[in-house]
Structure formats: structure tokens, C-alpha cells
Amino acid sequence: MPANPSKFLNMTVTRFEIRPGAYADSIVLMQLQAALLTLPGVHDAGVVMATPTNLDLLRASDLWHEPAGAARPEDLVLVVRADTDRAAIDALSRVDELMERPGTRTQEEFCPRSLKSATQLLPEADWVLVSVPGRYAADIAWEALDHGKHVFLYSDNVPVEDEVALKSSAATKGLLVMGPDCGTAIINGVGLGFANNVRRGAVGLVGASGTGLQAISTRVHALGAGISQAVGTGSRDLSEPVGAVTTLQGLDLLSRDEGTRVIVLISKPVPPGVAARVLAAARETGKPVVVHFLGYAPPGDGGNLYFAGGSSEAAARAVQLLNDAGVSADRSLGTSLPGGEDEGFRSLKGTRFLRGLFAGGTLAYEAQQALRPWLWPLHSNVPVPGSESLADPWRSRGHTILDLGADEFTVGRLHPMMDQGLRVRRLRQEAAHPDVGLILLDVVLGRGAHPDPAAELGPVIREVLRERDFEVVVTLLGTEEDPQDLHAQEARLHKAGAVVFLDLAEALAYVRRRLPLPPPPGAVQPVRLGILEKPLGAINVGLESFYASVLEQGARAVHVDWRPPAGGDEDLMALLRKMRG
Amino acid sequence: MPANPSKFLNMTVTRFEIRPGAYADSIVLMQLQAALLTLPGVHDAGVVMATPTNLDLLRASDLWHEPAGAARPEDLVLVVRADTDRAAIDALSRVDELMERPGTRTQEEFCPRSLKSATQLLPEADWVLVSVPGRYAADIAWEALDHGKHVFLYSDNVPVEDEVALKSSAATKGLLVMGPDCGTAIINGVGLGFANNVRRGAVGLVGASGTGLQAISTRVHALGAGISQAVGTGSRDLSEPVGAVTTLQGLDLLSRDEGTRVIVLISKPVPPGVAARVLAAARETGKPVVVHFLGYAPPGDGGNLYFAGGSSEAAARAVQLLNDAGVSADRSLGTSLPGGEDEGFRSLKGTRFLRGLFAGGTLAYEAQQALRPWLWPLHSNVPVPGSESLADPWRSRGHTILDLGADEFTVGRLHPMMDQGLRVRRLRQEAAHPDVGLILLDVVLGRGAHPDPAAELGPVIREVLRERDFEVVVTLLGTEEDPQDLHAQEARLHKAGAVVFLDLAEALAYVRRRLPLPPPPGAVQPVRLGILEKPLGAINVGLESFYASVLEQGARAVHVDWRPPAGGDEDLMALLRKMRG
């Protein structure tokens, strides 16, 4: 028997525990989950309140054990997968100790217990930021609106009916509800949620896509311009039921904001009726509006509207509009190639596959749209039209691009922008597969994101690249003013052997250059070039006008005085055809 | 009783006749139909071989009378709708006489009766042009391939199985089968089917869209460049079953053709797998390829591929690529505004609708894509994604864009590019409707098209514009070298009161400028601008890291020490919520 059977056989043991009525807020749960992962022998851990949705998601994951289904919504479910049963038991036994670790807040600081006392304490606060678990979030948002506050609603899992009611009530009061599921906003230079430290400037953003807003704002910054305001709307704002209430408010607000000279509007796919309403509002702003609706066949620029096919292009067009004579849209943002460009591009072998492991949903979507014509069939857990839906998100097939921030991956864990754990495991798993030729990652910096993602990802990238010959390509989004230090992150990832781009479009263009051409179709004989080199000659069967036309053009032609065989009799025709062979 | 009851009551009489076994080729039938329309009192006429498909189409039209369903495929069906029963009977009685009118061909000229003798007569002919009725077309195409000829297959209604078999056989022999349903090609400067007289030059076209190829070739010509070759492929070539055989051959051929320096590839919507194959082949050409796939969300330019959102843009990009420093893509092609630009644009009133009556299918598709965000809901008989399908193509609803060249309109008639009859009637019908504010038409010139469309359309346009205040906008596509004389046509349409553009994109941009803004949404209070003018203050409920982040950025904030109400107990929470009201 080998020395380490579990590793050799790739066997692990999963143990779980239900703690009845043990409510803890999500940040505590996330910290607990992260702490469990650091314990010896632990491969994976899940920590989740047992709501029906969470159980469904857990059921679909690789951490599920059927007995956990007995938990009630107010129960806490803990799952640990480890090398040995001993390690799993040990890990679960340390849960109480791990949960008592102090939080980030200074213990002495006074905190009011209610929103009401908070508004008395800071009456000039116009905003309430809500990031409690989804089922509590709507109540707090209602209370905030009652106090006349604008709401930044980070929480997800808020029912759409609540969103509709909250937003229509807010709209009648001139208040914004950014969210639910709003990851990013920048108001008066202050980033809310996940946001990058970008220069202030004259480009205003309205977006239903968190990483989309981050991609555009960092790109605008890199191109030398800046952001006036970035209004997040929540991922569902442009759906039919919600009707783009916040997007319309955001456009109206930016149209009146003197600091905003160009507007960028971004969304994942939009239903046509909603698109029409939003674009009408965009026309009304009277300012140039660059529109980037993912998956939307562009209708052509018109009036003050400009259509972009990606977030990089949207940023570039906005900056160009700001200053026609200024920064070029095509300016390269720098690339860290593994041995310098001189080495030339190694080409992927014919049968090797691409695997995209994205933290940003919009980036996963854009990558699919950009690579779809080159990589077909392309699989995804969040397929764009033309991609194939992945039956099991835990197992890639052929070319696969994943949004690891989707619900099926984030139940009981921090979002991959904060916690690289799941991504690191998936990266190893993909890297071990001999058919995988290129792994594509995004790393999004900024407030709220992991404090040093390259420190976690770098060593793993170096390790997997040492074991096998393939490529890791990273899109690194952020600014040199972000807490993580863009260029330090870039250097670290580069040193680990990754090809690093500071712009998604450039990374995707690089990937496209690396893809092999498909084998030529068989049994095809090239058309002789000779037909293009000599005067045309034609025999015409049918419309006489075609014959006349060819003659008029000086070409030679013969017209056949054609009559239908067998006088048009179908049976006789079939017989004749049969006789002929 | 009024003097003219049928006009007053809008009543007409329809009569039909079945002529058993009376085969006549399609051009004869079309000429007969056109001749019937010129007879006194005749409103409409249909002349069709009674194949099942034709009967189905006739059944859906406004010419159908149930007893005609008794006809067999080899029978000829004649239908006449007239002011009075007398007029209908008189018209039918003249059919024999009308059918005996001489054709265009000189009677003395010798014509071989078979393809075989034709090939002996003109052995240097590389091409066979086939435009016989669909059910005979495949046999002739097979015979042409047997003789080693390339095939230009204009006929439609050829079964897809025949297309697949013909094309795969042709591909193994290095022969092209352009079609079935191929309207246009230009080979060595000679136009086949419907084609414009354009300058020869270095832009090569491959396209599954006849009017698309015409729109691009005329635009390239107008921009000062020219066409090397235009390979039509037939409308179904990029479908899954056919697999783009001809498109792939065309790309390969143009890649080797020294006269072609830039390639433009155009198609109606393409299935993703086929798109991937075709784009891979486009990369292989090594020449710049401008891709215009209707309805395709552009993946972003990459390598030698450039994506365009419309035929005008495709032409402009091709010309730019040909000569970076040369002709500007934005050069206007001239416009005939009804009273000069100085008059300013009158705006359409709020509730008035647009009606598009297109002869070109691709143009109808492009117009929908371009206007869809502005005109919603938009109805069509050939809806793009996001448009609504028109239940009854004979009755417009709201904003409607029609392809009058679609089967349901062309059964038993010439295509609207050759015969304006149906269009003229529909134009009157739409113009009479008080809710119609703008009618959009295309007029496509060139070989094969109507010899003087403005002579037919002009008087009708003048008449309807005199009766009511609305607009007629015409996209006129052609060149000054076309048989119809572009500028004479333009002048005539302009004089009739139409706004005339020589480019589709310009016409659509004009239409967009004329559209009213929708009414603002009710019950919405603008967000006060003040929030963007003072430092941000925030109350945070949930993740402490959000609080810390806001403080770090120098803003004021309060964190609420929030606990779930009722300790997270759902029932108790519901009770509390109820008590609170």
C-alpha cells in the first residue's frame, strides 16, 4: 500500500454538522469558511445558513451530503472535506474557537443598533449601504427610504417583487435604490462596495454589471481620463419586471450633472422593450452616450448614441468623445509576456482546450462573446447565445468559460473576488488535464477585493506551469492607486509565469492569436483560379433577360431553348431520371 | 347610389381559371401577370403553376379562392381581381393573346435545345446560369456539373437536400454552385442576375444575400473603389445542413485571387457553429476580411478580421482598409431633401407610425436592426430577434417593416425589384392610414431590376403626399453606370416629394432623427442633484469592510450593529412585519 493512500487514490472524507438556530451574519460565516480552509488536511469547506435556496445550491455542489437536507432555514450547516476522517473531525471541533476571532472593527467604537439612531447620529448621510443576508435586506431598504435616504443594496437573493416595489416607491420620492446585487458604485469620488481608486473626471457610468463598471472605470483611468460618477443599478434592473427604473434615474441624474460630459451605459443582455425605453432616455440626456449591451447586435451609431462591442471599446470611445484630439483608443496598456515578445508566439496544439476561470460575471460573458467565433463549441455555466450550457458546472467540457461568481459556486463561500480558494482548486484541476492548453483568469483589484490575490494565485500558477507545458493568461484590472498596487500584482503574476494583460480586449486578442486554425475541410478541390483570369463565358437556362444582360456586358453566352422534360409531368420526369441512372 | 360603387365601397370581384397541363416557364408567367395588371379595371392578378408550395402561398395571399385548390401541380392557375365581374372576365379572356406576345429574344437567333449542345456551341463557357422553376433546377445543375461547369443558380424552391448534394459534389470537383436562390454575382466584371454596373477594383465580396451584395458593391463604388469579384452563395449556404460550402470556396478563391486585396463577407443570421467555421476560413485567407453577419453581436476586431454592423459600414471599412489614407468612411453620398436642409427637420407626431416597404430582404433586415431600439414594438414578416412577427403580412401593425420579396408576397408575381405593382398598392394602402407618419422604401437599380422604377413610384408618391401630410423616405441603391441612370432616378423621386438617400445607413439615420421622443415615464421624481455636490455620508448595515472602506476614503459614515430581527426566526419576523404595518 502506498504511503499516502488518500492522495494516491485521490480520496477524501466529507463530514458535516448542523447547528440548530445558530444564526450568524454572512461576513462571520465567510470568515469561518476561510479559516477552516487553512486547517491541516482540509481540502474544502462550506458554511451556510440552511435556507431552501442555499440547500439547493449546496446540493448541486461537490460538498453535498444528503443528511444535511434535514436542516431548517434557521440552522447553520457546516461541511468539511479533508484528507482523512480525523482531519475533518478536528476541523469541525475548532469551529467555536474560529468564530470568536475578532472582526475588523475596533471593539471600543460605538455603533448604534438601529438605522433610526444611525440617522440621528449622522443626519447628513444621504446613503444607506445594505449588505445583510437577502431575506433581511428589503426591510432595511424600506426603512432607509422612509428616512429619505438613497440605498446602495449589495445583498443578493432579494425577491424581484421586493425590488420592483422598492424601486417604484423610491422613484416617486426622487431616491435611488442601487441594487439588489449591486457590487459597485462611485459617488462623489467615494467608491461603494467593490470599486477601484480611479481619477475623478468627466465620464459618468450607469451600469447593471459590477465587473463591467470596474473594467470600464479602470480602463478610462488608464487612458488618462476619469470618472465623475458611477451609478450601479443591480443585475436585474434592466429586466422586464423591474423596467430599468434605476438606470433611467441614473441617466437623468448624469444628464443634469455638470461634472459629467460623456455617459457610458453598460448592461448584460437586455430585453428589446427595455432596451428601447433606456435608449430613448439616453437620447434625451443630450450628452454623448456610449452603449455597451452585451450580446446586442449594434444598430449603428446615431445622434448622441454610440455603440460599443466590449467594455474596453466602450471606455476608449468615451475617452475619444471627451477629447477628439486626445488619447488614442488603440493605445496599448502594456503587457507582461513571459519571455518578451521577441520569442514569438507558441501555437496551441490542435486538440488542446481553453478553460476560462472568471471571478467577474460580465468579464466571463464578454470573453465568451469575443471567443465564440474562434472556439466552437464553447461551454459555460452562464452561456451567451451560441454557447452551450454546461451540464455540470463542476466539470469542464472542451472549451469552457466559467463565471465562478455564479450562485452555484458561491453558496457558503466568499465571492471569488475576495477568496481565491475555489479558483485555486479549479485551476489545479484544469491544469492537470493534458488536453488543456490555456487557462484564462481575471484578477480584479480595488476596495472590497482580495488584499493580495497574486500572493495566492502566483505560487499555484508557477507550480502548475512547472508540471506541464501550457499557458496561463491573466487579465488584471485595477489602477496603480488601488490598495493592492496594480504594478506589484502584475510583476508577481508575471514572475510566476503568467502572461498578464491590463485590459480584457488585449488579453482576448492574445488568446485568439494563440488558437490553432481548424483542420481544412476534407474532400474539397480548390476552385481553379483560371476562371478569374479569362473573359466570362456562360450558358443560360431559364430567364432570357439574364442571357441578354450577359451579352450586353460584352461576354459570350448561349441561351438554351429549354422546355420542361416530359411536358412538366412529374411522374414521367421521375421515370426519366431513373432511366438516366 | 354613388356613381362608382365599387370604389366607394372598396369592393372588388375575384375570378380565377385553371388551365390543366398548361406549363409555361416562369418568365412567361411573370410577363402575363404584368400584362393582366395593365388591363382596364384590374386591381391585382396572380399567375402561377399549381405546385403545392405555390398553392400554400396563394392561399395565404389576398388573391385566394378556395376552388383553385383543386388544381394539380402541372396546371396553370390564373386569378384576377377587378372593379367589376365584367372587367375580370374580360381580362381572363385575353390571356391567350397576352401569352403570345413576343419575348425579348430575336426570333431568328438559333438556340440549342439542350445543355449538351450548348456546351458544344460555346466550349469556353465556364458558367451555366440556371433560372428555370425550382423543381427542374437541380437536374440542370447536375448536368452542368457533369460538364465541368460552375453554376449560377438563381432558381428558388430547390429542396435543401438537393443543395447539399450538389454543393458537396461540386466541391470535390473544384466547381462553384452559387445558389439556389442566388440573386447576384459579379465575375470578371460581368454581373450575373441582379447586379449593378460598378467599377472594377480590389474589394472582393462573398455573400449569402443578394441585396446585401448590391448595397455593398454600390457603396464601394460610390466611395471611389471597385469590386474584383462578387461571389453569391445563395440564401441557405450558411445554414447548418449546407455548412457554408460555397462561402468557404469563395473565401479560398478570393484569398488566391491577386486582384482581391480586401474581402467583405456578408450574411443574414448565421448559426454559431457555421459562423465559427467560416470565420476560421476568413482568418486563413491572410487578407483583411470585413465581416457583416446580420444580427451578430460583434466579437471585436481581431487579427485580419473586422466586424461591421451594417452594409454601409462594411463597405466603408473595406475601402478604408484598402487605402488607409484615402477616402473617408464618413463621406456623405448626397441627399435629396424635399426643401433643402435649411428648412430644418419636421418632427413626427407622437403616435404616428413608420411603415417600411422593402424589396430587398437584407435591407429590410438591416432597417429593423437599426431602428429596433427606436421603434418598439416593431413588427415584420421577417422579424429580427427583438422584432415581433406580423400575424397577417397583408396588414401592418404599429411600426412595421416588410420584406415584399418574401415568398408570401411573390407567389405568382415578379419580385418587387422587377415589378412595383404590389408595392404601389401597399404604398397607397399605408398612405391612406392617418396614423402613418413615414413610409420607408428601397429602390434597387442594376441589371435585372425594373427599367425605370421612379417612373412607376414617382407619380404615386406625389399623389399620396398631396392627400395627406407625411413623409416618404427612399433609399436608392445603384450607380451612375447602371442602365436606369442613378441620378435621373434620384431627381425624379425627389421631384415627387420623396426624401432620397443613396445609402441605407444615411436614410436610417435620417429616420431616427425624425422620430419623436417617447413620453417621459409618469410618477417619477427627479433625483436631487445635491447628492452629487456635497461630500458623501453613509450609514452602513451589513459587511463591516464596506464601512471601513468608506472611512478610508475620507467620507463620513456610521456602522449599525445590526442583528437579524427575532433572532432570524422567519415566523416571528413575519409577525413583526405585520405589526409594523
Side-chain angles (χ1 to χ4, degrees):
Chain A
M1 201 172 167
N4 186 341
S6 67
K7 190 175 178 191
F8 188 80
L9 296 172
N10 199 19
M11 277 177 66
T12 54
V13 177
T14 305
R15 283 210 161 250
F16 79 100
E17 187 180 329
I18 297 176
R19 299 204 162 192
Y23 172 79
D25 87 9
S26 58
I27 192 71
V28 171
L29 299 183
M30 299 304 173
Q31 282 162 349
L32 172 60
Q33 191 252 356
L36 284 171
L37 282 176
T38 65
L39 299 182
V42 173
H43 282 227
D44 200 358
V47 178
V48 79
M49 293 304 298
T51 61
T53 314
N54 283 348
L55 288 184
D56 279 350
L57 291 169
L58 203 59
R59 192 168 280 125
S61 82
D62 57 352
L63 282 172
W64 179 248
H65 264 221
E66 196 49 47
R72 291 162 309 143
E74 58 272 28
D75 299 345
L76 178 63
V77 175
L78 303 155
V79 193
V80 169
R81 200 175 70 225
D83 276 343
T84 62
D85 201 36
R86 186 71 260 155
I89 292 170
D90 284 351
L92 285 173
S93 72
R94 293 186 59 190
V95 164
D96 288 323
E97 167 204 340
L98 295 171
M99 281 180 88
E100 276 161 19
R101 282 191 187 174
T104 52
R105 182 162 43 93
T106 322
Q107 296 297 309
E108 305 82 53
E109 207 177 313
F110 168 73
C111 283
R113 300 291 288 262
S114 73
L115 193 54
K116 195 177 171 188
S117 14
T119 61
Q120 287 158 352
L121 205 65
L122 191 65
E124 67 268 36
D126 283 323
W127 295 88
V128 175
L129 322 181
V130 184
S131 53
V132 302
R135 55 183 176 146
Y136 306 111
D139 281 350
I140 298 175
W142 278 118
E143 203 182 334
L145 293 179
D146 288 346
H147 286 291
K149 308 294 186 194
H150 302 278
V151 180
F152 175 82
L153 186 49
Y154 173 82
S155 313
D156 52 11
N157 292 315
V158 174
V160 71
E161 305 76 46
D162 286 340
E163 178 170 356
V164 170
L166 280 166
K167 287 188 168 179
S168 28
S169 171
T172 61
K173 295 175 180 168
L175 295 174
L176 290 165
V177 175
M178 303 201 289
D181 194 23
C182 181
T184 305
I186 302 175
I187 302 295
N188 298 343
V190 178
L192 305 179
F194 298 118
N196 298 91
N197 280 345
V198 294
R199 189 179 306 116
R200 286 207 77 177
V203 179
L205 312 181
V206 180
S209 149
T211 45
L213 289 175
Q214 290 192 265
I216 293 174
S217 58
T218 55
R219 180 76 176 171
V220 165
H221 177 95
L223 292 171
I227 300 299
S228 56
Q229 312 286 341
V231 178
T233 67
S235 55
R236 271 187 320 221
D237 190 62
L238 288 97
S239 66
E240 286 287 1
V242 181
V245 175
T246 309
T247 303
L248 296 172
Q249 288 178 300
L251 286 171
D252 170 64
L253 184 63
L254 295 185
S255 76
R256 291 179 283 126
D257 174 33
E258 283 184 12
T260 299
R261 282 166 47 211
V262 174
I263 298 171
V264 179
L265 176 62
I266 173 171
S267 174
K268 291 187 193 173
V270 185
V274 178
R277 233 171 310 160
V278 167
L279 294 177
R283 288 168 66 204
E284 273 186 313
T285 63
K287 298 182 181 180
V289 180
V290 180
V291 181
H292 169 32
F293 287 164
L294 278 158
Y296 194 75
D301 296 343
N304 62 331
L305 301 195
Y306 302 83
F307 288 83
S311 48
S312 304
E313 190 190 339
R317 293 203 81 172
V319 173
Q320 274 185 316
L321 286 164
L322 213 54
N323 183 2
D324 271 346
V327 182
S328 155
D330 297 317
R331 192 174 109 181
S332 175
L333 289 179
T335 309
S336 310
L337 290 172
E341 297 230 22
D342 291 336
E343 198 178 285
F345 296 118
R346 299 165 295 171
S347 194
L348 288 180
K349 272 116 209 153
T351 56
R352 297 175 81 191
F353 295 122
L354 173 138
R355 299 285 154 85
L357 308 178
F358 280 87
T362 300
L363 306 180
Y365 205 101
E366 278 198 37
Q368 285 179 72
Q369 182 170 319
L371 296 177
R372 177 184 53 148
W374 280 260
L375 297 173
W376 191 85
L378 178 58
H379 303 86
S380 179
N381 63 326
V382 288
V384 305
S387 294
E388 310 274 320
S389 183
L390 202 59
D392 176 2
W394 299 92
R395 288 180 50 181
S396 301
R397 281 192 55 196
H399 301 298
T400 295
I401 290 180
L402 295 172
D403 172 11
L404 293 176
D407 288 351
E408 59 266 34
F409 291 119
T410 54
V411 60
R413 313 176 193 280
L414 282 167
H415 190 276
M417 270 168 58
M418 293 179 274
D419 175 8
Q420 303 290 339
L422 179 68
R423 236 177 11 157
V424 162
R425 282 197 300 284
R426 187 74 177 231
L427 177 57
R428 287 187 198 280
Q429 182 186 322
E430 305 290 359
H433 203 292
D435 279 352
V436 170
L438 193 151
I439 294 179
L440 186 58
L441 303 171
D442 61 340
V443 173
V444 182
L445 306 180
R447 303 188 167 276
H450 190 287
D452 189 359
E456 282 199 2
L457 285 171
V460 185
I461 291 171
R462 178 173 309 133
E463 186 190 318
V464 295
L465 285 177
R466 209 162 27 211
E467 281 168 15
R468 206 164 62 70
D469 178 37
F470 73 106
E471 277 188 284
V472 175
V473 177
V474 177
T475 302
L476 176 63
L477 297 182
T479 74
E480 62 290 349
E481 291 165 33
D482 278 330
Q484 295 92 344
D485 186 348
L486 179 71
H487 296 297
Q489 294 286 317
E490 182 187 11
R492 199 156 190 169
L493 290 165
H494 179 205
K495 217 173 149 193
V499 187
V500 185
F501 292 89
L502 304 184
D503 175 60
L504 180 62
E506 289 186 14
L508 296 172
Y510 174 81
V511 169
R512 292 199 291 216
R513 286 198 299 274
R514 311 288 287 117
L515 296 171
L517 286 169
V524 166
Q525 187 70 22
V527 176
R528 280 161 296 130
L529 210 48
I531 58 164
L532 304 184
E533 286 157 3
K534 59 179 189 178
L536 182 128
I539 295 164
N540 186 56
V541 192
L543 296 174
E544 284 187 32
S545 57
F546 286 1
Y547 167 63
S549 161
V550 168
L551 289 185
E552 272 170 40
Q553 296 177 74
R556 298 194 64 182
V558 171
H559 181 75
V560 176
D561 185 19
W562 179 84
R563 305 278 152 178
D569 183 309
E570 299 266 9
D571 296 339
L572 202 51
M573 273 169 70
L575 198 66
L576 284 173
R577 203 177 288 132
K578 216 166 165 183
M579 285 168 62
R580 213 169 50 212
Chain B
M1 204 171 165
N4 187 341
S6 66
K7 191 176 179 189
F8 188 79
L9 296 172
N10 200 20
M11 277 177 66
T12 55
V13 177
T14 305
R15 285 211 158 248
F16 79 99
E17 185 179 331
I18 297 177
R19 301 203 162 193
Y23 172 79
D25 87 7
S26 57
I27 192 70
V28 172
L29 298 183
M30 299 306 172
Q31 283 162 348
L32 171 59
Q33 191 252 356
L36 284 170
L37 282 176
T38 65
L39 298 182
V42 172
H43 282 228
D44 201 359
V47 178
V48 78
M49 293 305 297
T51 62
T53 315
N54 283 348
L55 288 183
D56 280 349
L57 291 169
L58 204 60
R59 191 169 281 124
S61 83
D62 56 353
L63 281 172
W64 179 248
H65 263 223
E66 197 49 47
R72 292 161 308 142
E74 59 273 27
D75 298 345
L76 177 62
V77 174
L78 303 155
V79 193
V80 168
R81 200 174 69 225
D83 277 342
T84 62
D85 200 37
R86 186 70 260 154
I89 292 170
D90 283 352
L92 285 173
S93 73
R94 294 188 57 192
V95 164
D96 287 323
E97 165 203 341
L98 295 172
M99 281 179 87
E100 276 161 21
R101 282 191 187 172
T104 51
R105 184 163 42 94
T106 321
Q107 295 298 307
E108 303 81 56
E109 205 176 315
F110 169 73
C111 284
R113 299 292 288 261
S114 74
L115 193 55
K116 193 175 171 191
S117 13
T119 60
Q120 287 159 354
L121 205 65
L122 190 66
E124 68 268 36
D126 282 323
W127 295 89
V128 175
L129 322 181
V130 183
S131 52
V132 302
R135 56 183 176 148
Y136 306 111
D139 280 350
I140 298 174
W142 280 117
E143 203 183 335
L145 294 179
D146 287 345
H147 287 291
K149 308 294 185 194
H150 302 279
V151 180
F152 174 83
L153 186 48
Y154 173 83
S155 313
D156 52 11
N157 292 314
V158 173
V160 71
E161 305 75 45
D162 286 340
E163 178 170 357
V164 170
L166 280 167
K167 287 187 168 178
S168 29
S169 172
T172 61
K173 295 175 179 166
L175 295 174
L176 290 166
V177 175
M178 304 201 288
D181 193 24
C182 181
T184 305
I186 301 175
I187 301 295
N188 298 342
V190 177
L192 305 179
F194 299 119
N196 298 91
N197 280 346
V198 295
R199 191 178 303 116
R200 285 207 77 177
V203 178
L205 312 181
V206 180
S209 149
T211 46
L213 289 175
Q214 289 192 268
I216 293 174
S217 58
T218 55
R219 180 76 175 170
V220 164
H221 177 93
L223 292 171
I227 301 298
S228 56
Q229 312 286 341
V231 178
T233 67
S235 55
R236 272 187 321 221
D237 190 61
L238 289 97
S239 66
E240 286 287 0
V242 181
V245 174
T246 309
T247 303
L248 296 173
Q249 288 178 301
L251 285 171
D252 169 64
L253 183 63
L254 294 186
S255 76
R256 291 179 283 125
D257 174 33
E258 282 184 12
T260 300
R261 283 165 49 211
V262 174
I263 298 170
V264 179
L265 176 60
I266 174 171
S267 174
K268 290 187 192 174
V270 186
V274 178
R277 233 171 310 158
V278 168
L279 294 176
R283 287 167 67 205
E284 273 186 314
T285 63
K287 298 182 180 180
V289 180
V290 180
V291 181
H292 170 33
F293 286 165
L294 278 158
Y296 194 74
D301 295 344
N304 62 330
L305 302 195
Y306 302 82
F307 288 84
S311 49
S312 304
E313 190 190 339
R317 294 203 80 172
V319 174
Q320 273 185 317
L321 286 163
L322 213 55
N323 183 3
D324 271 347
V327 182
S328 156
D330 297 317
R331 191 175 111 182
S332 175
L333 289 179
T335 311
S336 310
L337 289 172
E341 296 229 22
D342 292 336
E343 196 180 287
F345 296 119
R346 299 164 294 172
S347 194
L348 287 180
K349 273 116 207 153
T351 55
R352 297 176 81 191
F353 295 123
L354 173 137
R355 299 285 155 84
L357 308 179
F358 281 87
T362 299
L363 306 180
Y365 205 101
E366 277 198 40
Q368 286 180 71
Q369 182 169 318
L371 296 176
R372 176 184 54 149
W374 280 261
L375 297 173
W376 194 85
L378 178 58
H379 304 85
S380 179
N381 63 325
V382 288
V384 305
S387 294
E388 312 274 321
S389 184
L390 202 59
D392 176 2
W394 299 93
R395 288 181 48 182
S396 301
R397 282 192 54 197
H399 300 297
T400 294
I401 289 179
L402 294 173
D403 173 11
L404 293 176
D407 287 351
E408 60 265 35
F409 292 118
T410 54
V411 59
R413 311 177 194 281
L414 282 168
H415 190 277
M417 270 168 58
M418 292 179 275
D419 174 8
Q420 302 292 338
L422 179 67
R423 244 195 343 174
V424 161
R425 283 197 300 284
R426 187 73 177 232
L427 177 56
R428 288 188 198 280
Q429 181 186 323
E430 303 291 358
H433 202 292
D435 280 352
V436 170
L438 194 149
I439 294 179
L440 186 59
L441 304 170
D442 61 339
V443 173
V444 182
L445 306 179
R447 302 187 169 277
H450 191 287
D452 189 358
E456 282 200 3
L457 285 171
V460 185
I461 291 172
R462 176 173 310 134
E463 184 190 320
V464 296
L465 285 178
R466 212 168 18 217
E467 281 167 15
R468 206 164 61 71
D469 177 36
F470 72 106
E471 277 187 284
V472 175
V473 177
V474 177
T475 302
L476 176 64
L477 298 182
T479 74
E480 63 289 349
E481 291 165 32
D482 278 331
Q484 297 90 344
D485 186 347
L486 179 70
H487 295 296
Q489 294 287 317
E490 183 187 11
R492 198 154 190 169
L493 290 165
H494 179 204
K495 217 171 149 194
V499 187
V500 185
F501 292 89
L502 303 184
D503 175 59
L504 179 62
E506 288 185 15
L508 296 172
Y510 173 81
V511 169
R512 293 200 291 217
R513 286 198 299 274
R514 312 288 285 117
L515 296 170
L517 286 169
V524 166
Q525 187 70 20
V527 176
R528 278 161 298 129
L529 209 49
I531 57 166
L532 304 184
E533 285 158 3
K534 60 181 188 176
L536 181 128
I539 295 164
N540 186 55
V541 192
L543 296 174
E544 285 186 30
S545 57
F546 286 1
Y547 168 62
S549 162
V550 168
L551 288 186
E552 273 169 40
Q553 295 177 76
R556 299 195 64 185
V558 172
H559 181 74
V560 176
D561 185 18
W562 178 84
R563 305 278 153 177
D569 182 310
E570 299 267 9
D571 296 341
L572 203 51
M573 273 170 69
L575 198 66
L576 285 172
R577 202 176 288 133
K578 215 166 166 185
M579 286 168 63
R580 215 170 49 210

